[in-house]
Amino acid sequence: MTFVFDPPPCPSVAVAGEGVRFPVRRIFCVGRNYAKHALEMGSDPDRQPPFFFSKPADAVVDAGVGHDARIAYPPQTDNFHHEVELAVALGRGGADISTADALDHVFGYAVALDLTRRDLQKAAREKGHPWDFGKAFDRSAPIAPLHRAADMGHPAAGRIWLRVDDEVRQDADLGELIWPVPDVISILSRSMTLAPGDLILTGTPAGVGPLLPGHTVRGGIEGLEDLELQVTERGSPSA
Ligand code: MN
């Protein structure tokens, strides 16, 4: 096959302790999956069916500790927010996956951020417009190395937290997920045929808030490698 220009490189995520990488196909995100976060966003905290949005695969940024990830303050926003989330990486695809079978499709887990231009997201929400410009911008999905489910099992509980400089902003437990991982996979697979390489960001707990240039962000989930990044000035080079 001859292309009119070189095809872009395949976006990928590090696998903890290994030289191999996980190729990313799509990134799905769950909208509201912790009751206290639904409340802080002015939404109904009761158990509504989950909803999804997506980010481009090349929004991923390697953000393991020691990787020195730098995210420039993004354009067209004055309210750039952190959301720490459990990322689920699928190693097997399928449609109409049952909750009982769902975890067999998981390759592994990682700590990720669903970075958000909150002002653009809220304006879109009020107008009934798509969320893409609030959610699906360049470098909006920093992620720490993946840990294989074969090694660590499937976390159903455990602390999830995020710190900005020395201030703990988000602090919750995976057990508070309104829709746990098997349900999320099963429900999503009724609308989309899932495939190996798909990542699912499972939603953020309460405590989302603004990031500013100069901030150091650290996030963690019990049993997984931490995520770390620096926020740099708008327009500064990526790393
Ligand atoms: Mn989110």
Side-chain angles (χ1 to χ4, degrees):
M1 173 100 52
T2 305
F3 294 102
V4 295
F5 52 82
D6 290 339
C10 179
S12 64
V13 173
V15 177
E18 302 183 30
V20 296
R21 294 181 64 85
F22 177 90
V24 179
R25 182 164 184 265
R26 294 175 292 189
I27 306 173
F28 296 105
C29 305
V30 183
R32 283 183 282 272
N33 209 7
Y34 291 82
K36 285 179 196 157
H37 174 62
L39 273 174
E40 76 180 349
M41 292 297 290
S43 305
D44 186 349
D46 292 339
R47 201 185 203 218
Q48 306 284 335
F51 70 93
F52 298 87
F53 57 90
S54 45
K55 294 177 185 269
D58 65 3
V60 291
V61 175
D62 282 318
V65 173
H67 200 88
D68 196 25
R70 287 157 192 268
I71 303 280
Y73 198 94
Q76 301 293 330
T77 185
D78 294 305
N79 199 14
F80 178 41
H81 272 210
H82 56 79
E83 298 191 355
V84 66
E85 312 203 357
L86 172 70
V88 180
L90 297 188
R92 268 177 58 199
D96 298 319
I97 299 166
S98 70
T99 51
D101 292 341
L103 294 181
D104 296 339
H105 296 254
V106 176
F107 169 83
Y109 298 93
V111 181
L113 299 189
D114 166 16
L115 292 174
T116 301
R117 294 191 285 206
R118 191 72 71 200
D119 41 2
L120 301 193
Q121 182 207 9
K122 284 190 170 163
R125 196 170 69 166
E126 280 158 21
K127 293 178 189 156
H129 287 175
W131 283 18
D132 302 49
F133 280 25
K135 290 289 196 178
F137 52 98
D138 300 343
R139 299 171 65 74
S140 58
I143 183 165
L146 282 168
H147 289 254
R148 291 177 183 262
D151 298 335
M152 66 169 291
H154 299 278
R159 186 178 178 222
I160 175 169
W161 57 274
L162 178 135
R163 206 170 66 210
V164 176
D165 294 336
D166 292 328
E167 181 192 357
V168 175
R169 297 262 190 102
Q170 299 187 265
D171 197 352
D173 194 281
L174 293 180
E176 297 169 40
L177 279 169
I178 296 172
W179 295 95
V181 172
D183 297 81
V184 167
I185 293 170
S186 177
I187 293 166
L188 185 55
S189 76
R190 291 178 212 157
S191 291
M192 308 274 185
T193 301
L194 298 176
D198 288 340
L199 288 178
I200 306 171
L201 272 55
T202 53
T204 198
V208 301
L211 293 172
L212 295 170
H215 277 159
T216 298
V217 181
R218 182 121 179 178
I221 293 173
E222 207 175 312
L224 296 173
E225 213 165 300
D226 286 359
L227 169 150
E228 189 170 71
L229 60 84
Q230 312 277 334
V231 182
T232 58
E233 294 294 335
R234 190 163 5 225
S236 57
S238 309

